[in-house]
Amino acid sequence: MTMTAASATLNSGAILLTNGASLKIGNGTGIATFNISNGVLRTDNDLRVGALNRSVGRLNLAQGRVDVGFEFYVADEVGSTGAVVVTGGTIEATNAAANTRIGQRGNGLLILSNGLVHFDDVSVGRHDTSRGSLLVVGGDFECGTLSIGRFSNAVGMVTVAGGVLNVVDGSLYVGREGNGSLTNL
């Protein structure tokens, strides 16, 4: 399922992407926005927000849940922009080996003000062209391992101004090989 220069809202019910299906929000020119005010979005494969070069993708979760089966990339490709805003509800991996990249190769942002975000391996600023930002102002952000500025020339910034950043059973790397900052206000 691909959204290009479109806007969609899920008020209730469920969207289930199965048999290897993935969702790309922002997969071309224009801005694509997916708003979830309640209900369930589940993919047994990838969820990519800002998937292609020059694409802009936005995912807004107010209530409900988003279940990701495999990879969760925010700003997947060079020149892409992706933003995820969680004001309530839950985003989590259904597969323990799922990876999350906030700024895979583009400019990615995840803001958590309420709710739960739970993944195993999280990178904020992954590759050399990436700029990733994670802002936790409320809610609970849980992960196994957190790398901020993962590879050479990547830039990652994490700010905790409320809520909880919980790294469980893993490691926390700030500037692992790239440029990273962690600020706790």
Side-chain angles (χ1 to χ4, degrees):
M1 183 171 151
T2 300
M3 293 180 63
T4 303
S7 180
T9 300
L10 177 62
N11 289 319
S12 64
I15 296 176
L16 308 174
L17 302 171
T18 60
N19 297 321
S22 61
L23 173 60
K24 295 178 182 178
I25 303 168
N27 199 47
T29 58
I31 299 171
T33 304
F34 198 146
N35 301 301
I36 302 173
S37 59
N38 204 349
V40 175
L41 170 63
R42 179 175 297 136
T43 175
D44 66 3
N45 201 353
D46 298 344
L47 174 55
R48 297 175 189 257
V49 180
L52 286 179
N53 185 10
R54 295 185 305 278
S55 69
V56 178
R58 296 182 182 150
L59 173 63
N60 301 309
L61 177 63
Q63 283 299 323
R65 55 181 305 112
V66 176
D67 294 327
V68 181
F70 194 58
E71 308 288 347
F72 181 41
Y73 290 166
V74 182
D76 188 21
E77 293 297 329
V78 175
S80 65
T81 301
V84 177
V85 178
V86 181
T87 58
T90 301
I91 297 180
E92 68 181 338
T94 57
N95 175 349
N99 296 314
T100 300
R101 310 293 186 236
I102 303 165
Q104 166 75 346
R105 290 184 180 86
N107 297 311
L109 169 67
L110 191 146
I111 300 172
L112 174 63
S113 64
N114 192 15
L116 170 68
V117 176
H118 181 249
F119 286 94
D120 180 41
D121 183 11
V122 177
S123 290
V124 179
R126 178 79 175 171
H127 293 288
D128 65 347
T129 56
S130 68
R131 303 293 176 262
S133 298
L134 169 61
L135 176 59
V136 179
V137 294
D140 190 2
F141 189 96
E142 296 180 359
C143 60
T145 296
L146 177 60
S147 297
I148 306 167
R150 175 60 179 97
F151 291 115
S152 179
N153 295 320
V155 176
M157 296 171 289
V158 174
T159 302
V160 180
V164 175
L165 173 62
N166 191 6
V167 179
V168 181
D169 296 330
S171 299
L172 171 63
Y173 300 98
V174 180
R176 188 166 182 180
E177 294 173 23
N179 303 300
S181 69
L182 173 61
T183 305
N184 188 8
L185 302 174

